[in-house]
Amino acid sequence: MNSPKFSNVLVFPLSLLMLNSVACIAICFLARSGPGIEQRFAINIGAFLFYLSSTAILLVHARKLVLEQIEPKEEAISILLTALPDRAAESTATSEWNDKLLSHLATAAVNEIENLRQATEVIADHSSDILCSVNEALRICELNASAERIWHFQNISLIGTSIINLAIPTDRTALQEYFESSKEGVRDQAHVWQVKTASGAILDLSWSIEWSNSLRTFYCVGTDISALKQVERLRAEITAMVGHDLRAPVSAMSFFIEGLLANELGTLNEKGTAQLLRCKENVQQMLRLISQLLDAEKIEAGEIEVDVKIVPVSAIVESSVNLVAQLAEKKNQKIVSEESSNLVFADFDRSVQILTNLLSNAIKFSPEASTITVKETVSKELVSIEVIDQGPGIAVEHFH
């Protein structure tokens, strides 16, 4: 059930109080017109006493009404406050729980970081490569166990030393430039430099370097490629040996052919002379191949030299066809080429070498009595030379 508003409760007693005041004032005015002074005084005293008594009664009644409105609300508030939990105690308990949770999470994070660090150290120490960090002054800060196994220096003796001083004197300048270029963000290929170990051995190391600008530190990975370099040196020596051994008999053949062409051993007929000229050209091509074999190291290093000049396409095709003509005749094959007046910038000898290889493959895999075509195609500023044969071709999956 809804209670009346507090302002509505006071309307009735206040209205009576006002009416009482008006009645008293009216009586006082009436007393002024009375017969005598004593009578007027008595009327005024009576009116005043009536006013005081009625006012007191109304105030008592008003207080009762007010208390009837306030006491239930106070009781309800008291009950509500009693029902509420102890917020201070709850806040303290929550704070303690949060502290314990944060402490547990921090401990777990520290343990996880420590486990990760130990796992990283185990992996680094079992790596076959040298892993190290180098500060901005190029002094070694940290090394893994592989560095000690490869260099035969104790790692503790290398901490704080310059990594440049580990290289042999002839490689130090290039190594320092490599560090500087890595710091500037230049992504260069791995740098190879030699180091003299504590046992006196010279090792070839391939280094990859990464600069951390935030930590101001170089992170380096060094791979020992001494065995690979030794194999390359042995291969170069064998290549040089084989090249020199081949050059001697081929040169002798060349001198012999020159003598035959000069009729020093008798006169040849026209067909014999033509065959001998082809043989001479093949021998000269073989001598050029031997020379290229001796330059194998330059080719691998990308230092191969080319003699580019203006040459007619017809000369390249004609020389290549002459070199394989005898092979084609043995299989009764015919090599057909188109006449050309185009000129190209090319290395004549190497162009002939490439086209000769293509023609040799065409002769080898084409059936007997077949036709091999050398076709020339001009596209914008490029000239393409194609060899078309009747062989089985190359499967698509073998193309790279």
Side-chain angles (χ1 to χ4, degrees):
M1 185 175 179
N2 295 331
S3 300
K5 292 183 179 180
F6 183 74
S7 58
N8 294 334
V9 173
L10 297 178
V11 168
F12 176 71
L14 291 177
S15 300
L16 290 178
L17 180 61
M18 291 178 63
L19 291 174
N20 184 33
S21 300
V22 171
C24 291
I25 294 170
I27 293 171
C28 291
F29 276 105
L30 290 174
R32 293 178 63 184
S33 59
I37 295 175
E38 291 82 1
Q39 289 83 3
R40 289 196 299 270
F41 179 75
I43 291 172
N44 288 332
I45 292 298
F48 179 71
L49 292 174
F50 173 77
Y51 173 75
L52 289 177
S53 60
S54 62
T55 301
I57 293 171
L58 288 174
L59 288 175
V60 171
H61 180 69
R63 180 178 178 277
K64 181 180 179 181
L65 292 177
V66 171
L67 290 176
E68 288 178 355
Q69 295 296 320
I70 294 177
E71 286 179 355
K73 293 180 173 56
E74 289 181 345
E75 183 178 359
I77 292 173
S78 177
I79 294 173
L80 181 61
L81 291 176
T82 303
L84 290 176
D86 189 351
R87 292 298 180 182
E90 182 179 353
S91 176
T92 302
T94 302
S95 177
E96 292 177 355
W97 185 84
N98 288 338
D99 291 342
K100 290 181 180 179
L101 177 61
L102 290 175
S103 177
H104 175 74
L105 292 176
T107 303
V110 170
N111 292 336
E112 187 66 23
I113 292 173
E114 178 62 20
N115 293 337
L116 181 61
R117 185 190 65 80
Q118 293 178 0
T120 303
E121 286 185 356
V122 171
I123 294 173
D125 288 340
H126 285 79
S127 172
S128 59
D129 296 330
I130 297 173
L131 306 177
C132 67
S133 60
V134 179
N135 64 19
E136 200 166 1
L138 303 185
R139 296 190 177 277
I140 298 173
C141 299
E142 291 181 301
L143 285 166
N144 67 338
S146 294
E148 197 165 290
R149 293 195 299 267
I150 294 174
W151 284 336
H152 303 297
F153 289 106
Q154 290 186 352
N155 284 350
I156 190 65
S157 66
L158 294 177
I159 300 299
T161 62
S162 173
I163 194 171
I164 303 298
N165 293 337
L166 292 174
I168 61 175
T170 54
D171 286 352
R172 291 176 182 175
T173 301
L175 181 60
Q176 186 159 4
E177 291 176 353
Y178 181 53
F179 271 97
E180 292 174 356
S181 63
S182 299
K183 185 177 180 180
E184 294 172 359
V186 178
R187 297 287 181 178
D188 205 352
Q189 61 182 0
H191 183 76
V192 178
W193 56 282
Q194 292 183 315
V195 60
K196 188 174 183 179
T197 66
S199 60
I202 302 295
L203 299 181
D204 293 283
L205 297 176
S206 176
W207 282 91
S208 296
I209 301 174
E210 185 75 21
W211 166 253
S212 173
N213 195 48
S214 59
L215 300 176
R216 312 302 293 177
T217 303
F218 292 98
Y219 293 94
C220 313
V221 179
T223 305
D224 184 7
I225 58 171
S226 301
L228 179 61
K229 284 293 184 179
Q230 181 64 19
V231 170
E232 291 180 355
R233 283 190 283 267
L234 289 175
R235 186 181 64 182
E237 292 176 2
I238 293 173
T239 300
M241 186 184 302
V242 172
H244 285 95
D245 290 345
L246 288 175
R247 185 188 291 274
V250 174
S251 297
M253 289 174 58
S254 179
F255 291 138
F256 180 72
I257 292 172
E258 291 289 346
L260 289 176
L261 291 174
N263 296 324
E264 293 177 358
L265 302 177
T267 304
L268 296 173
N269 57 25
E270 184 177 350
K271 183 177 181 180
T273 301
Q275 295 290 345
L276 198 58
L277 287 172
R278 291 177 180 174
C279 183
K280 177 185 176 182
E281 195 166 352
N282 275 296
V283 170
Q284 290 176 344
Q285 177 67 9
M286 187 175 293
L287 287 172
R288 287 193 291 269
L289 290 175
I290 293 172
S291 297
Q292 294 173 10
L293 183 63
L294 295 176
D295 293 336
E297 290 186 3
K298 291 184 178 180
I299 295 174
E300 290 184 357
E303 298 175 357
I304 185 172
E305 297 180 359
V306 292
D307 182 18
V308 178
K309 55 187 176 181
I310 299 176
V311 294
V313 174
S314 58
I316 297 174
V317 174
E318 184 179 353
S319 296
S320 302
V321 171
N322 288 337
L323 288 174
V324 298
Q326 288 181 325
L327 296 176
E329 288 176 2
K330 288 181 180 180
K331 296 184 67 174
N332 195 25
Q333 294 170 337
K334 184 179 181 181
I335 301 177
V336 178
S337 60
E338 302 174 352
E339 293 185 3
S340 173
S341 60
N342 292 314
L343 300 176
V344 294
F345 283 99
D347 184 314
F348 179 81
D349 291 336
R350 299 191 187 281
S351 298
V352 170
Q353 178 185 351
I354 295 171
L355 186 55
T356 300
N357 289 336
L358 294 175
L359 288 171
S360 298
N361 289 335
I363 294 170
K364 179 179 180 180
F365 294 102
S366 294
E368 294 188 2
S370 61
T371 300
I372 298 171
T373 304
V374 180
K375 182 181 178 182
E376 176 187 346
T377 304
V378 180
S379 176
K380 296 182 180 179
E381 298 180 354
L382 299 176
V383 176
S384 302
I385 301 176
E386 302 176 57
V387 176
I388 304 172
D389 57 40
Q390 300 179 21
I394 302 175
V396 176
E397 60 267 19
H398 292 159
F399 284 97
H400 297 287

